[in-house]
Amino acid sequence: SRFTLSRIREIWGFSQWMLVAGIGQFFARKIDEFLVGRLGSATDLGLYSVAADLGQTPSLELSAPINRALFPALARATTTPSQFKEAVAKTVTAVNILILPAGFGLAAVSDLVIPVLLGARWSDAAPMLAMFAIAWALRYMAGPYSVVLMIHGNSRAFGLLNWVEAALVLAAGLALLSHGVSGLVWARSIAAVATMLVWVAVGRSA
């Protein structure tokens, strides 16, 4: 074999949408925190950021490695369209057996987790943590569908959907901005559920 640039356009066509997706993911994760920073005090931003990051952790830490392992497994399940769809359905079920209990479990013990991990002075973050834990668990329910898009080579849809999520967070945040920080917590939660539904719809039609 020898070095060749004959497929550079194809590689760049895939890579550019991964770059778009990465930037979209950043904005989707930070837009609401920017709004909190503009709206509330430094204390509000601190509580919100801690609750958002901690609430996301169980679902993300379970979802990310599972999705990486799913790529080769699902790619081998493409013998027929019906077999592939059946494999995806089983995968979504298996993934959510782990993610949903982790998220809802963290929400149930949020009043205990915050003092233990962060100390009593962060106790005001507990109600936000409960909502974020549930919201992120619901958001990552659709994680396997991102793998489906990659297997089908649809990096463009993958990239654009991350910007759809950012737009949903921004729209919900602006709509509930008058309700203060609590409104932004609801905005993030609503956007998480809406994003999950969008990913499921696109993933199932891929």
Side-chain angles (χ1 to χ4, degrees):
S1 62
R2 61 180 181 176
F3 178 76
T4 177
L5 298 176
S6 61
R7 306 193 71 176
I8 189 67
R9 180 173 296 180
E10 180 181 344
I11 295 172
W12 171 242
F14 179 87
S15 299
Q16 67 179 341
W17 288 109
M18 291 300 96
L19 176 62
V20 169
I23 297 172
Q25 287 172 355
F26 172 80
F27 281 106
R29 300 293 180 270
K30 296 300 179 182
I31 284 176
D32 53 336
E33 294 183 14
F34 173 78
L35 293 174
V36 172
R38 299 281 295 180
L39 178 68
S41 64
T43 299
D44 292 329
L45 179 58
L47 293 170
Y48 188 97
S49 298
V50 164
D53 291 342
L54 188 57
Q56 180 180 200
T57 298
S59 299
L60 178 61
E61 293 302 320
L62 286 171
S63 177
I66 291 173
N67 288 341
R68 284 195 294 269
L70 283 178
F71 197 103
L74 286 178
R76 290 194 295 268
T78 57
T79 307
T80 65
S82 60
Q83 288 178 338
F84 182 73
K85 289 182 178 179
E86 182 180 356
V88 171
K90 290 180 178 178
T91 297
V92 171
T93 300
V95 167
N96 288 310
I97 286 175
L98 297 175
I99 291 176
L100 291 179
F104 280 81
L106 177 59
V109 298
S110 59
D111 288 337
L112 302 176
V113 167
I114 291 291
V116 170
L117 294 182
L118 304 174
R121 67 191 183 95
W122 292 94
S123 58
D124 289 342
M128 289 188 283
L129 172 60
M131 289 194 65
F132 284 133
I134 293 173
W136 284 114
L138 295 174
R139 163 64 181 85
Y140 284 113
M141 282 178 64
Y145 288 108
S146 64
V147 180
V148 171
L149 292 179
M150 291 294 96
I151 291 173
H152 288 159
N154 201 341
S155 59
R156 183 175 183 270
F158 180 82
L160 292 177
L161 282 174
N162 283 281
W163 280 97
V164 168
E165 181 174 6
L168 288 170
V169 175
L170 179 60
L174 293 176
L176 296 173
L177 196 61
S178 61
H179 295 277
V181 175
S182 62
L184 292 174
V185 175
W186 276 102
R188 163 57 74 180
S189 302
I190 292 169
V193 175
T195 299
M196 178 269 290
L197 295 174
V198 171
W199 273 99
V200 170
V202 174
R204 294 186 67 176
S205 65

